[in-house]
Amino acid sequence: MTKYIINGGRVLRGDVMISGSKNAVLPVLSATIINRGITTLTNCPDISDVRVTMDILENLGCKVRLTKNEFGNTIQVDATNVTSSTINADKACKCRSSVTFLGALTARLREANVAYPGGCTIGERPIDIHENALSDMGINTFRGDNFIKTQLPFTCRGEACTRNIYLKFPSVGATENSLMAAAGLADTVNIYGAATEPEIICLGNYLKELGAHIEGLGTGHIKVKGQLLYNKENVAFNIIPDRIEAATYLILAAGAGEKMKIHSTVAEHCKETVNVLKHMGCVFKEHKYTCGEQKLSVIELKEGAYKKRLNSPGIVVADAYPAFPTDAQSLLLPLLSVAEGETYVVDKIFPKRFNAAYELVKAGADIRRTAFGIKIRGKKSLKGCDLMSHDLRGGAAMVIAGVLANGQTCVFDDDFIKRGYDNMPGKLRALGASITECQNLS
Ligand code: UD1
């Protein structure tokens, strides 16, 4: 348990650098085992979900090394020898993305034995779409009390055919599993109803780098022509910036920033978050630049709540990309709680993801349940108090509330925030926030 003590009401100024994307690096780390060689990933965040995934890779037989670097860490995975197809519960339950090893292990070893995944408690998180997709590719899947198993029958290892799979919902994780499993088949696989998130494109680009033929990334129909064996000696790949971390600092800028610049973002990935904030009265300026082959942006806050109280955007609907992201929904709640007017918030991905909202009531927020989500009536300010973090983004939302509130806020966090944020307290302090971290509370 970590306690964050925040003295709120300070103005944020200066620059913040966005780290590599959590939700992109995790499936790419899983995918490194598909290739019998060494992958070097740059721009990796140093977060606990990454450390857990590195442990999983080591248990499977890989050699893994993280090198810290001020401008983004590097992870090297030597997957020349993958000796086990089993991921036990002690590791699998620590993060959601462990489920993507199902597709990756099946591609590499023709079988997987993965304990049920963990991750944030943000509503129901079944895996039926993953299982159906793998079955539709001809991969046998079995569900035990503790493990999900896959096995590629010998008939699928011979002559190539075309397989069509239909996802009943564009699940991010199921699309990732499908892409990885399909990359290990000689067949042509059409994935219909695929998710279009930037993290899917990132994973697809990594698989292309290995040698898989993939078309349609970023659309609802992805076509994969894989191969049974990948033998690329060295693969270098760069992870995209984290659009949810960017959303976190955009919201902080809107609520407490005067002059703030958010570096190393892909503006296109943050479009809907910026749109909502603009709708509330913020003004941002985008400065484009290139870094190697990447087109990046600095997003600069020109006007936010520091100048004039922000208005409610009326309604915010979290939905699949390119709509407003469900992961940023919790983050926005403290800002909506102090905006002028009423806001309705609906989450179409995780309809019950409102633990953060109910926690904010302790800080004085006026939030009520509605038939489809919640209704927030903006107050002039939030007050400092003790807040619990219930999940990763909910925890970050409590920190945002603390920064915006008057007085002292203590956020009690069961180390959710470290799962997804690289050095959040340090980045906030550099911007002028007063935040201290007391670790390992019993
Ligand atoms: C990923 C992200 C998470 C994000 C979410 C939605 C990672 C590690 N996590 O989670 O941060 O909030 O995408 O953008 O990348 N569903 C089913 N059956 C399934 C799978 C999903 O019914 O087999 C439902 C879920 O209950 C949920 C919706 O589909 O309501 C979306 O889930 P999904 O896109 O799969 O999210 P994750 O991949 O778990």
Side-chain angles (χ1 to χ4, degrees):
M1 177 75 84
T2 302
K3 178 165 95 169
Y4 297 94
I5 305 167
I6 304 159
N7 293 305
R10 302 241 181 140
V11 179
L12 305 184
R13 294 186 180 93
D15 301 75
V16 62
M17 187 70 90
I18 299 305
S19 300
S21 162
K22 162 187 169 285
N23 287 352
V25 73
L26 297 176
V28 171
L29 280 170
S30 305
T32 58
I33 62 166
I34 296 174
N35 183 44
R36 289 161 164 78
I38 298 174
T39 291
T40 305
L41 300 176
T42 44
N43 198 33
C44 299
D46 187 5
I47 52 178
S48 64
D49 271 13
V50 161
R51 296 280 180 168
V52 169
T53 310
M54 289 170 63
D55 278 356
I56 293 176
L57 288 166
E58 278 179 350
N59 285 356
L60 295 176
C62 303
K63 291 187 193 128
V64 192
R65 202 177 64 206
L66 183 145
T67 312
K68 296 277 278 183
N69 180 331
E70 203 190 329
F71 301 104
N73 311 303
T74 299
I75 300 179
Q76 195 174 73
V77 183
D78 180 348
T80 310
N81 296 308
V82 175
T83 48
S84 167
S85 58
T86 299
I87 301 175
N88 288 316
D90 60 328
K91 298 277 184 274
C93 73
K94 286 195 178 146
C95 63
R96 176 72 186 171
S97 69
S98 54
V99 75
T100 58
F101 276 98
L102 275 179
L105 279 166
T106 313
R108 173 69 187 259
L109 297 177
R110 317 289 169 230
E111 61 171 33
N113 197 7
V114 179
Y116 288 97
C120 288
T121 317
I122 50 179
E124 281 177 41
R125 302 185 83 174
I127 49 165
D128 55 315
I129 304 176
H130 301 242
E131 291 174 303
N132 291 340
L134 297 176
S135 300
D136 290 348
M137 277 182 225
I139 298 164
N140 295 328
T141 63
F142 318 91
R143 204 187 261 231
D145 286 344
N146 302 312
F147 284 86
I148 319 153
K149 296 181 189 214
T150 67
Q151 196 248 331
L152 188 70
F154 276 97
T155 48
C156 288
R157 304 178 194 183
E159 214 167 287
C161 63
T162 297
R163 295 177 183 274
N164 296 325
I165 64 172
Y166 301 87
L167 308 186
K168 68 172 181 188
F169 183 88
S171 153
V172 172
T175 305
E176 290 165 348
N177 254 329
S178 306
L179 269 173
M180 287 191 255
L185 297 176
D187 301 341
T188 296
V189 179
N190 288 302
I191 308 168
Y192 293 102
T196 61
E197 270 69 4
E199 295 77 18
I200 302 286
I201 301 178
C202 186
L203 172 65
N205 284 337
Y206 172 72
L207 295 170
K208 279 162 82 169
E209 201 64 43
L210 298 187
H213 294 275
I214 304 180
E215 292 166 22
L217 289 170
T219 75
H221 171 201
I222 304 177
K223 187 173 170 184
V224 185
K225 172 82 182 76
Q227 58 196 52
L228 294 173
L229 215 74
Y230 291 87
N231 271 322
K232 208 164 171 189
E233 214 172 313
N234 282 296
V235 182
F237 190 75
N238 192 52
I239 298 297
I240 56 170
D242 195 312
R243 63 194 169 101
I244 306 301
E245 192 196 21
T248 308
Y249 289 99
L250 282 165
I251 290 166
L252 279 158
E258 189 204 4
K259 285 182 180 160
M260 239 180 94
K261 284 185 182 163
I262 297 140
H263 294 253
S264 189
T265 67
V266 177
E268 181 67 23
H269 298 171
C270 303
K271 204 168 161 187
E272 203 42 42
T273 304
V274 168
N275 275 347
V276 169
L277 297 174
K278 281 185 177 167
H279 206 165
M280 294 177 75
C282 293
V283 179
F284 292 99
K285 190 167 179 208
E286 189 194 325
H287 309 269
K288 293 190 169 103
Y289 65 102
T290 45
C291 178
E293 284 171 19
Q294 282 193 100
K295 289 190 171 61
L296 298 176
S297 291
V298 177
I299 305 178
E300 182 183 5
L301 174 86
K302 289 292 200 182
E303 274 177 40
Y306 178 76
K307 213 162 194 181
K308 187 170 154 272
R309 189 174 174 200
L310 298 178
N311 294 314
S312 149
I315 180 162
V316 177
V317 180
D319 206 344
Y321 188 81
F324 189 82
T326 169
D327 286 349
Q329 180 263 103
S330 313
L331 305 170
L332 190 65
L333 301 178
L335 193 65
L336 299 175
S337 300
V338 293
E340 174 96 54
E342 284 182 356
T343 313
Y344 289 85
V345 182
V346 178
D347 194 321
K348 288 171 99 172
I349 305 293
F350 294 107
K352 295 182 190 155
R353 190 179 198 171
F354 291 114
N355 282 336
Y358 308 130
E359 193 66 24
L360 284 174
V361 172
K362 292 185 194 162
D366 183 347
I367 302 183
R368 279 147 218 243
R369 251 177 246 250
T370 66
F372 301 105
I374 55 168
K375 179 170 109 176
I376 304 179
R377 257 188 38 214
K379 296 275 209 67
K380 284 223 165 79
S381 60
L382 293 175
K383 59 175 193 288
C385 66
D386 287 356
L387 295 172
M388 282 298 294
S389 104
H390 294 278
D391 58 75
L392 162 58
R393 303 304 167 187
M398 296 308 117
V399 170
I400 295 175
V403 171
L404 302 188
N406 294 325
Q408 190 171 84
T409 296
C410 293
V411 178
F412 294 86
D413 174 53
D414 202 1
D415 290 337
F416 290 116
I417 293 173
K418 288 177 189 148
R419 285 190 39 217
Y421 286 92
D422 194 334
N423 190 20
M424 190 182 202
K427 289 186 184 183
L428 278 171
R429 272 193 296 272
L431 291 167
S434 162
I435 173 166
T436 48
E437 194 181 344
C438 312
Q439 268 171 340
N440 299 326
L441 303 176
S442 52

